[in-house]
Amino acid sequence: MADGGRRAYIGSFTAAGGPGIVVAAVDADSGALTVLSGADDLSDPAYLALAPDGGTLYAVSETAQGAVAAYRVTGDKPEPTGPPTPVAGSGPTHLGLYAGHVLTANYGSGSVSAVPLRPDGSLAPAPCDVLPHTGSGPHTPRQQGPHAHQVQADPSGRWAVSVDLGTDSVRVCTLTDGRLDVHGEYALRPGSGPRHLAFHPDGAHAYVVNELTPTVTVCRWDAADGSLKPLAETPVLPGAPAGDAYPSGIVVAPDGRFVWTATRGEDVLSAFAVEGEGLRLLATVPCRGRWPRALTEADGFLYAANERSGDVAWFTVDRASGLPRYGGSIEVPAASCVVIG
């Protein structure tokens, strides 16, 4: 980057008036964001991910056709490496990098796709592999069929883990010769509606935030055999919600002492202390916007993408208490996610 500083890459829903992908400078001292540029060539870039070297940005197009795109980010304006690649699934809402592929979680079609990458990080022309999910849940109409909501590699890099809101389950997968296969499927409480999973830095625990019931499920993760064991559920709110309460994002502190979630409707961030194999709710604070769709942690700051108020807010995390303190916000209509690189 021209100034050597960090950058925030922000997705937004173009169908709702969003600008596409926004690039912002990150102030190292305050966490504050300053908009620099963007890219408006991709419809509804609902989620973004950076390559490990920070040189390539990937984005899903959450449309009925479903696609993924790759961008070079050596400057402040993302440059497409080629046209978007179809993922053979509808409504991809999340993506992650695994075993030389981009994996997409296709909410609409209830599947996970694996798009191969070239050595330079661009999308390969080879066809993607698609792993359909099957099943349903008791919450009607949200669980009439599978709805893959997130996919990522586990900390060991051996497994791909997908979270399915429609089937109340987490699937652990492998990818061999470009083919996705299910290694194991692990059930969560019926009707909980798991949305996103975050791993603890110890590599032995994972936390699943549930959208249909405002809770976090604490799990034990065994990377040796790729197994997940649910242990307990913890509410994300101190009492019954006054109205809608749909948890969205979840992140874990790099030192493993705290976990934070965002909840839409109640429009709050929740802070938890990690205590052994459990969580203790410390407090909730306003997200300073409406409908926080995603939550990101970087360098002691939290970033909330507030979709309906059209902004991204940042918070400083108190190192001792783990509580977020509001710092400011920038306008990003229909914001969907934030990635820091």
Side-chain angles (χ1 to χ4, degrees), residues 108 254 281 296:
L281 178 63
T296 301

Side-chain angles (χ1 to χ4, degrees), residues 314-327:
W314 58 88
F315 300 79
T316 301
V317 175
D318 183 271
R319 294 178 182 272
S321 69
L323 298 183
R325 184 178 69 252
Y326 176 68

Side-chain angles (χ1 to χ4, degrees), residues 80-97:
T81 64
T85 297
V87 299
S90 67
T93 189
H94 190 269
L95 79 170
L97 300 175

